Structure formats: C-alpha cells, structure tokens
Amino acid sequence: MAVTMQDVARRADVSVKTVSRVVNDEPHISPDKRERVLAAIDELGYRLNPAARTLRTGRSGVIGLGLPDLREPYYAELAHAVLQQAGRRGLTVLVDPTGGDRDRELALLGGRGGGLDGVLLYALGVGAQDAVGAALPAVLLGERVAPGASAAVDVDPAVAAAVAHLVETGRRRVAVLGADPRPGSPGARRTEAFRRAAAVHGLAVDEALLVDVGPRWGRQEGAVAAARLLDAGRPFDALLAHNDALALGALRAALDRGLRVPGDLAVIGSGDTEDARYAVPSLTSIAQGTSEVAGTAVALLVDRIEGRPSRDEAPRAAAVDLRLRESTLGVGVA
C-alpha cells in the first residue's frame, strides 16, 4: 500500500499539518521536527501524489536541472544529491546536459520543452542577470555566483589549504591542470587562487606549468596534459588539478611513466568524488559541499516557485575543505 502523510506523521510523532509544512518547505518549524519528518519520509519512502498536487496548485511538480557535463563525476554526484533533495519534497527532476553553452542555458531558463515549475542551473555561459529575467523561477549553482538566488561554493580557501599542504610536504614546483584563460570561469578563478597562495608561500609560478586543457575536464584530457608536461622534461614535484577527473588522468600518466605517487609527484584534485576515494593511490581532493549545495539550491527554488521571499538573497556558500589521502601523504597513511 502507498505510504500516506498520516504514516509519516505517526513515524515522526508530529501532526499531519507539520508533515505538510515540512514537505512544502514552509518556515518556522523547529529543526528537530523538520529532521524527524525528513527522516521518516526517507525511511518510509513517502512521495507526494503528483496528480493531486497539480489539481491543487496548478503546478506540475517538475523542475529542470542544467549541468555542463554528466560524464564528469562531480556533476553526476551533484545531480544525484539534487534528485535526493527534490525527492524529499515530492519533486521530479529533468536533467539537461547543457555543455556550458550559453544558448542552451538560456533556452532552459526560458522553459524549453514546457511543463517545468522552475530551473536549477550550474551556469557557465549565463550570469545572475539572465536568471533574474528568466521566464521561470531559477536558482544558479556554481562558484561565487553573483547576488540573487544562488547556491555557491568558494573554493579559494581550499586551494590555499592545498598549496599550504604541498609546501608542508616539501613541494616547491607545482603544475596546474585546468588553468582556463576565460575571465571569471571556474578554472580562471581557481588558478588566481593558486597564484595568491603561491605568493604567500614564496613559490615561483612557472607559466609553462599552468595548463589549459580545453572546455572538457575529463580523465583523458588530464592524462594527455600531464603526459605532455612530464615528457617535456620541465621539472615539477606536485600537480594541482581543478577537478578529480583531470587528477585521475594525470595520476594514470604519472604511473605509466614509472613515477611514484606521492614520492616523485604529489597529486591533488577537486570535487571529492567517490572515484577519488577509491583510486589507487587514493586521491587528496577539495570537497565542495555537494549535498549542502543541493539542499540549499532546492530550498531556494521552492521558495521562488511558491512565491515566498527568499530567506537570504546573498549567495549561500557551502563548506569547502581539503580531504587528505594517499596521493599526497603516502600509501597506508590516509
């Protein structure tokens, strides 16, 4: 039999009205009650009746999620987190791989295909002003997104922590993969954060070691870029990749050339994906608060869809930190 709102209320020991308010993400509910209701929803597998909601509200209960590249593990894990958070609220998510193309992102914000109540977009081609003027309620995801409804991460402190960690472990020449030359892009921002951190620690920055791998940050691109650097004979003892896929490709290229990681070369990625945790050696990586970003983004979008004032119009920054593992500490250490 289908799980009902009454079942959830009994399991959480709250009223049916409280369950309804939590499901609809209404404010002024104690954190304890909200957590109990959400735990009961997950445990029982409760889902709203979409047909009943459509009749009651005139909305479809379907939102769009635009991501640049589902082949990249970070975006795939972010999509999974959004699906979980949306599912708690009885929302269906249609995922659109935009390729970071501005026209495709604008089309999604404009309600391409119809039937969407709102849009979550990890934007590479559009900005906050495009989202403000969109035909649908929209929330942007990404790094240090401009003011407006957005769920952001600020990777700069973790990049600084990564450089400090490399210096502490004796590294002096650091290569960077993903040094995108486009102003304002994630690669450009993270590379500037690297430059600032290098200056703090007195590291010389060799421009030839700052590599633009192109628009896609995949394992193959990381392997090819790292192989070129290693084969060029330009010395470096650490590699900072702007995502885990690039780092994993670089790790493969280094091991293929007989290098010891981290003995000869320390490697750091970004995204803290499952692949990073199970790589051999396991990969030190910058965790980007994926679950927190997803939860914040869905809550903000529901606010906009429901016509409620956003509780905070400033970009909400998720916690970001450095997860130390074998690729910088040594096998068996982390």
Side-chain angles (χ1 to χ4, degrees), residues 18-234:
T18 296
V19 175
S20 176
R21 291 177 65 198
V22 170
V23 166
N24 289 292
D25 200 36
E26 295 181 13
H28 312 305
I29 300 172
S30 73
D32 175 64
K33 286 185 178 180
R34 187 183 295 274
E35 192 55 41
R36 277 157 46 200
V37 170
L38 291 176
I41 287 172
D42 286 344
E43 183 179 347
L44 297 175
Y46 171 73
R47 294 292 181 268
L48 284 176
N49 183 327
R53 175 178 42 203
T54 299
L55 288 172
R56 186 177 73 253
T57 66
R59 291 186 290 270
S60 67
V62 180
I63 62 173
L65 171 63
L67 295 170
D69 189 347
L70 288 175
R71 293 171 295 178
E72 186 192 318
Y74 172 74
Y75 293 129
E77 292 190 12
L78 180 59
H80 177 70
V82 168
L83 287 167
Q84 284 188 316
Q85 293 291 336
R88 283 181 160 188
R89 294 166 172 80
L91 296 172
T92 298
V93 182
L94 296 182
V95 182
D96 186 348
T98 63
D101 178 75
R102 176 175 170 80
D103 289 338
R104 291 190 64 178
E105 291 179 353
L106 285 173
L108 182 59
L109 290 173
R112 176 178 58 202
L116 299 179
D117 292 334
V119 172
L120 299 174
L121 176 62
Y122 197 107
L124 295 183
V126 305
Q129 286 304 116
D130 297 301
V132 170
L136 294 175
V139 170
L140 299 184
L141 302 87
E143 294 181 27
R144 294 163 60 176
V145 182
S150 58
V153 293
D154 184 359
V155 179
D156 287 13
V159 171
V163 173
H165 172 62
L166 292 173
V167 171
E168 289 168 2
T169 55
R171 314 295 168 163
R172 301 301 300 175
R173 290 184 58 81
V174 183
V176 175
L177 297 188
D180 193 332
R182 294 175 299 170
S185 68
R189 286 195 298 267
R190 296 184 198 183
T191 303
E192 286 308 305
F194 164 74
R195 291 180 188 276
R196 290 191 294 271
V200 167
H201 294 282
L203 296 182
V205 176
D206 185 344
E207 297 298 322
L209 296 178
L210 307 183
V211 182
D212 174 18
V213 301
R216 180 162 190 263
W217 291 359
R219 293 174 181 81
Q220 180 178 355
E221 288 75 12
V224 169
R228 286 175 178 167
L229 282 178
L230 292 167
D231 294 345
R234 204 172 194 96

